[in-house]
Amino acid sequence: MFEEAVILAGGFGTRLSHVLGNVPKPMAPVYGKPFLSYLIDRLADAGIKRVVLATGHKHESIQSWFGEQYRGVQIVYSREYTPLLTGGAIRQAATKLVSDTFVVLNGDTLFDIDLRKLYDFHTSRNGKLTVALREVEDTSRYGSVICRDGQITAFQEKAESQGKGYINGGIYAINRTWLMQQDLPAAFSFEKELMQPIAGEEGFLGLSFSNYFIDIGVPEDYRRAQHEFAGLFKADEFLFLDRDGVLNKHLVGDYVRNRDMWEWLPNVLPAMAQLSKRFRRILLISNQQGVGKGVMSMADLDDIHQMMLADITAAGGRIDKVYTCTDLAESGSKNRKPEIGMALQAQDDFPEVDFHYSVMVGDNVTDMQFAQKARMRAVYITKNNPVPEAVRDITDLYISDLAEFATLV
């Protein structure tokens, strides 16, 4: 079986730029988490141990999210500093591989195939390059692939192709030794400069799958993914909430020092009732340095939270536990957001909490940084204000308030 994979994650997302802003296409949020995470989830489920991400545009936002490990899969980066096109990106990434047979996925396409079946077909027929094919009703958007008895013999361009047929599904099984022996420039198109010229050659194979397929490269299919993924993939189960500005009115230049100063934001209580039905655990994570500054006591803070929890319970909602950090901003505390000490405390208290299936909702840059450090989904409450530049590359979803979030999930 494949042990290593390459994902082409350097796409600019030009056609989605008005939707995504600064977010690179593979990091486009779909159903609350980056599209790329779905691809790596599928690879992890299939037993892949190591993934090389071929990155370029906005490389740093991808690496800061996934780090060096994701769901037990080792993550390695192959960054292109000048455009290498698809072929150059694959071949550069292949230099970081150990296995001689590996799989390649496009970072903007999800084709939910049986990788074991692809591997067995490729190796049993001594394949050099095997393409996962998808039959569609109209090939005109993609161009078609002509395949007979498992052998790819020709390609038809978009203008020539129409009606039912096979398309390139964007997943390849490749023999690394063969690939590295090809006489090609540093930057080349994998499809046009490698695949098309070898059509008809022995070892250039195609295998058809009928599994779920979507390419999010165009706005209409990106929007379609938001709805379809809800029924296809595991949803987030654990909700982390900031307090001030999310549940209650944030007092600029002051602290909520007693229950008389507390003011619920509109529609928060019914939203909490909805969210309590949706999420397995709801955990409040709040910096409260007013205690550390001496402007209020811990008893004051506890009294405020007793009132808060009582109101939420009366409205049909719940918060499973409240975590606060009263340390000062300059203390360097590992518990104070954006550090994740409070999240780790929550994980100790509730061992079922998995950060990969968690979402953080907040209204501050530190909330988004906290989510990024913990590898959670990040949801930013805008309050209908412009989104700060500092959160654009680390946020998955923008909402006006908690009530809107409750309707979306």
Side-chain angles (χ1 to χ4, degrees):
M1 177 53 182
F2 300 112
E3 292 191 352
E4 294 183 301
V6 170
I7 301 179
L8 297 174
F12 284 90
T14 304
R15 289 175 293 180
L16 293 177
S17 59
H18 68 289
V19 178
L20 301 180
N22 294 338
V23 178
K25 185 165 57 171
M27 294 297 287
V30 179
Y31 190 48
K33 64 179 184 177
F35 183 79
L36 186 55
S37 66
Y38 291 97
L39 302 185
I40 303 179
D41 282 343
R42 309 316 279 171
L43 293 176
D45 292 341
I48 296 289
K49 305 299 183 187
R50 194 163 178 266
V51 171
V52 179
L53 296 180
T55 62
H57 177 63
K58 292 289 181 180
H59 160 88
E60 62 284 349
S61 66
I62 296 175
Q63 186 161 356
S64 65
W65 178 275
F66 290 101
E68 297 179 355
Q69 190 178 76
Y70 176 84
R71 283 197 58 202
V73 177
Q74 181 187 3
I75 307 295
V76 179
Y77 298 89
S78 174
R79 183 180 180 182
E80 57 182 80
Y81 292 89
T82 57
L84 297 176
L85 306 180
T86 50
I90 292 171
R91 195 152 69 166
Q92 177 176 281
T95 65
K96 298 180 178 291
L97 299 173
V98 177
S99 307
D100 202 42
T101 300
F102 65 100
V103 63
V104 174
L105 290 76
N106 279 325
D108 59 357
T109 302
L110 192 146
F111 192 10
D112 199 20
I113 69 169
D114 182 345
L115 289 176
R116 165 66 71 179
K117 184 177 179 181
L118 179 68
Y119 178 85
D120 289 345
F121 178 80
H122 175 78
T123 54
S124 67
R125 295 188 52 166
N126 297 315
K128 300 171 183 175
L129 169 60
T130 302
V131 182
L133 305 175
R134 178 64 152 82
E135 190 172 29
V136 297
E137 293 299 319
D138 182 9
T139 61
S140 59
R141 171 178 161 183
Y142 306 94
S144 60
V145 182
I146 310 303
C147 185
R148 295 186 176 88
D149 299 322
Q151 181 85 37
I152 291 178
T153 59
F155 293 86
Q156 287 185 331
E157 297 291 342
K158 297 177 185 180
E160 305 170 330
S161 186
Q162 58 181 345
K164 191 173 183 177
Y166 293 110
I167 64 169
N168 177 355
I171 297 181
Y172 313 118
I174 303 176
N175 179 281
R176 184 166 63 96
T177 299
W178 169 81
L179 174 65
M180 303 309 286
Q181 289 173 345
Q182 302 308 297
D183 183 19
L184 291 160
F188 67 96
S189 165
F190 193 76
E191 297 79 5
K192 292 184 177 180
E193 296 178 68
L194 178 61
M195 289 170 54
Q196 291 185 12
I198 65 170
E201 288 188 11
E202 185 177 353
F204 184 28
L205 310 172
L207 181 63
S208 175
F209 294 87
S210 58
N211 306 65
Y212 179 79
F213 174 88
I214 193 164
D215 174 356
I216 64 161
V218 294
E220 55 267 30
D221 280 350
Y222 174 58
R223 286 190 289 268
R224 180 164 64 90
Q226 305 290 345
H227 300 286
E228 293 180 351
F229 277 34
L232 290 169
F233 300 106
K234 182 177 179 180
D236 289 325
E237 297 183 66
F238 311 102
L239 174 61
F240 288 78
L241 294 173
D242 181 38
R243 197 193 79 176
D244 301 321
V246 175
L247 301 181
N248 61 289
K249 185 177 180 180
H250 177 74
L251 302 181
V252 179
D254 200 354
Y255 301 94
V256 178
R257 290 177 273 114
N258 55 63
R259 60 171 61 194
D260 292 334
M261 297 177 71
W262 179 277
E263 182 180 345
W264 286 105
L265 288 171
N267 301 313
V268 162
L269 289 172
M272 287 300 299
Q274 287 180 264
L275 293 170
S276 296
K277 296 174 184 177
R278 165 67 177 77
F279 286 95
R280 187 174 171 187
R281 293 291 182 195
I282 300 180
L283 305 159
L284 185 73
I285 305 288
S286 180
N287 291 339
Q288 292 293 330
Q289 69 172 351
V291 175
K293 288 183 174 182
V295 300
M296 56 192 292
S297 68
M298 197 66 206
D300 293 329
L301 186 61
D302 289 340
D303 184 58
I304 292 165
H305 287 156
Q306 287 175 17
M307 178 212 65
M308 174 193 75
L309 292 173
D311 285 355
I312 291 173
T313 301
R318 64 179 164 82
I319 288 179
D320 293 292
K321 193 161 183 178
V322 174
Y323 298 88
T324 58
C325 178
T326 60
D327 300 329
L328 300 178
E330 60 270 21
S331 67
S333 171
K334 295 299 183 183
N335 290 326
R336 183 178 170 82
K337 291 181 293 185
E339 302 304 322
I340 65 170
M342 286 188 283
L344 296 175
Q345 290 174 29
Q347 205 169 47
D348 285 340
D349 293 334
F350 305 98
E352 68 273 19
V353 170
D354 185 339
F355 294 160
H356 290 123
Y357 296 104
S358 298
V359 57
M360 174 70 195
V361 179
D363 69 330
N364 197 288
V365 173
T366 56
D367 297 322
M368 303 301 98
Q369 293 169 334
F370 165 90
Q372 182 186 36
K373 286 174 181 280
R375 304 288 189 268
M376 300 177 187
R377 256 62 65 207
V379 177
Y380 182 79
I381 290 183
T382 68
K383 304 168 193 169
N384 295 315
N385 294 320
V387 177
E389 188 66 29
V391 307
R392 287 186 179 275
D393 290 342
I394 56 174
T395 302
D396 297 296
L397 182 66
Y398 305 123
I399 54 172
S400 59
D401 55 24
L402 194 65
E404 182 184 1
F405 178 69
T407 64
L408 291 174
V409 300

